[in-house]
């Protein structure tokens, strides 16, 4: 709006400069030219300050500056109206400019009533007591009063409309935020085991191994450790399901801490079975020789499993129902190059077979 006003004032100044006699041919023309020049200067100053304050995010000060500019526009309108009356013209400028200000400048009801009311009062006093354009006084007063009331109505209506729009957008934004949080919660619940807080089997297949084809193509290595709590059904029968759940949570906490330290992912696979999964680039370690079952012949892969067994032993989760003094686990490990494996299920199958071997070897 300010840019448009500045352009219009500049155009009017050019018109007056090229009129016969120039802009100062007589006092009334000098008044017009002075008002155009003054509004152009004020507008350019306003724009410069506005741009500077926007960059500094002084939004409260900008609101005050904006209101000051509206006051200046009204005063300018009054000045033009007085000059028009001196020439016997109508109050056309006032009649189109005041409603325009009301329609494009957002003001509160109190601001619009005060500003337009004072402007109307000044115009009425000037018309009545100066005797300017006396023959058109009645029609000018009627038009001035009607336009002022119309402008106040437009301004209040615009203000309420903007408030409603902002409120609606705020409500929509709040509802959207709630939906987003609900979706995030549902997403988390879909990929999280509710008892232990670990990732679940769906997370294993979609998040951890969701890029299996890419891993396969890039010949990445993986290490999978399956953890099975020894004689867990007997533990549940002896101590109850609540104690059994507590045991699962303790094992899950150990696995979660351990996975974080090892750069792995901890998953509750189902029941008393858990998985630790770590995927790494081939360049991060020496490539392993893979035998026909897809497993590694390098016994160094047992290091992570040994460290995990030590962590669980040190946790000392007590039990006495099976002749042992603490809860133990059996581990099955697969480690190798993913380019040698056709699908994720094959890896899990190998790790599961390794757990069965551990169980048949005596557990503990």
């Amino acid at each position: 709006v300010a840019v448009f006003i500045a352009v219009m004032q500049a155009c009017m100044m050019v018109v007056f400069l090229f009129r016969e006699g120039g802009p100062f041919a007589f006092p009334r023309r000098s008044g017009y030219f002075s008002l155009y020049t003054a509004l152009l200067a004020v507008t350019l100053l306003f724009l410069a300050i506005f741009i500077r304050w926007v960059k500094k995010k002084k939004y409260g000060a900008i609101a005050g500056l904006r209101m000051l500019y509206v006051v200046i526009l009204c005063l300018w309108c009054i000045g033009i109206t007085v000059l028009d009356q001196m020439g016997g013209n109508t109050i056309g400028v006032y009649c189109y400019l005041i409603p325009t200000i009301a329609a494009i400048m957002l003001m509160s009801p109190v601001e619009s009533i005060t500003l337009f009311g004072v402007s109307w009062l000044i115009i009425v006093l000037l018309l009545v007591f100066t005797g300017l354009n006396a023959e058109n006084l009645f029609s000018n007063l009627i038009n001035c009063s009607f336009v002022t009331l119309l402008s106040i109505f437009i301004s209040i209506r615009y203000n309420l409309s903007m408030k409603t729009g902002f409120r609606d957008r705020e409500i929509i934004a709040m509802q959207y935020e709630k939906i987003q949080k609900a979706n995030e919660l549902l997403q988390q619940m879909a990929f999280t085991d509710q008892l232990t807080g670990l990732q679940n089997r769906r997370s294993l297949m979609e998040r951890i191994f969701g890029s299996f084809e890419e891993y396969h193509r890039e010949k990445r290595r993986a290490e999978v450790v399956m953890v099975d709590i020894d004689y867990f059904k007997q533990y549940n029968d002896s101590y109850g399901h609540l104690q059994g759940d507590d045991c699962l949570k303790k094992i899950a906490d150990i696995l979660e801490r351990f996975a974080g330290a090892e750069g792995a992912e901890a998953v509750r696979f189902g029941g008393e079975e858990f998985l630790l999964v770590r995927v790494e680039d081939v360049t991060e370690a020496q490539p392993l020789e893979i035998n026909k079952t897809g497993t590694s012949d390098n016994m160094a892969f047992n290091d992570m499993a040994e460290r995990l067994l030590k962590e669980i032993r040190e946790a000392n989760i007590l039990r006495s129902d099976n002749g042992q003094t603490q809860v133990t686990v059996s581990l099955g490990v697969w480690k190798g190059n993913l380019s040698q494996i056709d699908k994720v299920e094959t890896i899990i199958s190998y790790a599961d077979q390794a757990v069965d071997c551990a169980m048949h070897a005596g557990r503990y």
Side-chain angles (χ1 to χ4, degrees), residues 310-326:
K310 182 181 177 183
E311 291 271 349
I312 294 174
R313 280 195 296 268
E314 290 178 353
N316 195 28
I317 304 172
L318 301 178
R319 73 181 298 179
S320 58
D321 58 299
N322 63 343
Q324 298 296 316
T325 59
Q326 61 179 226

Side-chain angles (χ1 to χ4, degrees), residues 5-17:
I5 290 173
V7 171
M8 291 301 298
Q9 301 313 297
C11 291
M12 293 304 297
M13 289 174 64
V14 171
V15 170
F16 272 76
L17 284 171

Side-chain angles (χ1 to χ4, degrees), residues 71 74-75 78 94 98 110-126 144 148 152:
V71 172
C74 288
L75 292 175
I78 292 171
Y94 182 88
I98 295 298
V110 173
E111 289 172 340
S112 61
I113 291 171
T114 302
L115 182 61
F116 297 139
V118 171
S119 299
W120 170 82
L121 182 61
I122 293 173
I123 290 289
V124 169
L125 291 176
L126 287 172
C144 177
T148 300
I152 292 173

Side-chain angles (χ1 to χ4, degrees), residues 105-358:
M105 295 295 190
L106 182 62
M107 293 179 285
S108 70
V110 173
E111 289 172 340
S112 61
I113 291 171
T114 302
L115 182 61
F116 297 139
V118 171
S119 299
W120 170 82
L121 182 61
I122 293 173
I123 290 289
V124 169
L125 291 176
L126 287 172
L127 292 177
V128 171
F129 290 105
T130 61
L132 295 172
N133 200 7
E135 62 275 14
N136 293 320
L137 177 62
F138 180 75
S139 61
N140 284 341
L141 291 177
I142 293 297
N143 290 334
C144 177
S145 301
F146 175 76
V147 166
T148 300
L149 290 173
L150 178 63
S151 300
I152 292 173
F153 171 79
I154 292 172
S155 180
I156 293 175
R157 180 70 178 173
Y158 178 49
N159 180 273
L160 292 175
S161 177
M162 290 297 290
K163 281 185 176 179
T164 302
F166 279 119
R167 186 168 58 250
D168 290 345
R169 284 195 291 272
E170 190 175 51
I171 291 172
I172 291 171
M174 291 173 62
Q175 291 175 340
Y176 179 76
E177 185 179 352
K178 288 181 180 178
I179 292 171
Q180 284 288 93
K181 288 182 178 178
N183 286 338
E184 289 174 4
L185 180 60
L186 289 173
Q187 184 88 349
Q188 182 181 0
M189 291 175 64
F191 290 99
T192 304
D193 177 65
Q194 298 303 301
L195 176 63
T196 63
L198 296 182
Q199 298 181 72
N200 58 18
R201 187 180 299 197
R202 181 178 179 181
S203 180
L204 171 72
M205 302 307 293
E206 294 189 20
R207 289 183 173 178
I208 300 175
F209 281 124
S211 302
F212 179 77
E213 290 184 4
E214 179 184 341
Y215 296 157
H216 189 277
R217 186 170 56 254
E218 295 177 357
K219 299 181 179 180
R220 298 225 186 153
R221 290 156 51 94
E223 183 172 4
V224 177
V225 179
M226 180 168 282
V227 181
D228 190 292
I229 302 176
D230 293 327
Y231 301 112
F232 183 73
K233 183 179 183 304
Q234 183 176 327
Y235 184 96
N236 252 345
D237 293 340
S238 300
Y239 298 103
H241 289 286
L242 292 178
Q243 188 80 8
D245 288 347
D246 187 59
C247 177
L248 289 171
K249 291 177 184 177
K250 289 178 179 178
I251 295 294
D253 289 341
I254 295 169
L255 292 175
E256 188 172 27
R257 289 195 303 271
F258 184 82
E262 297 286 334
E265 301 285 348
V267 177
R268 186 184 181 193
F269 193 67
E272 69 273 21
E273 292 182 327
F274 300 85
L275 284 177
L276 284 178
V277 181
R278 180 167 63 187
V279 179
E280 58 188 8
D281 291 332
V282 174
T283 55
E284 292 181 6
Q286 291 295 323
L288 299 178
E289 295 295 331
I290 307 299
N291 62 29
K292 64 181 180 180
T293 65
T295 58
S296 169
D297 292 325
N298 187 340
M299 295 306 294
F301 70 80
N302 285 324
D303 289 349
M304 189 166 81
E306 291 293 342
R307 290 194 297 274
L308 177 57
L309 285 173
K310 182 181 177 183
E311 291 271 349
I312 294 174
R313 280 195 296 268
E314 290 178 353
N316 195 28
I317 304 172
L318 301 178
R319 73 181 298 179
S320 58
D321 58 299
N322 63 343
Q324 298 296 316
T325 59
Q326 61 179 226
V327 171
T328 60
V329 297
S330 295
L331 304 184
V333 182
W334 179 91
K335 185 172 184 179
N337 195 315
L338 292 177
S339 64
Q340 305 291 325
I341 303 299
D342 57 346
K343 55 184 179 179
V344 176
E345 289 78 2
T346 303
I347 299 173
I348 298 172
S349 174
Y350 287 148
D352 190 44
Q353 290 174 32
V355 169
D356 289 339
C357 290

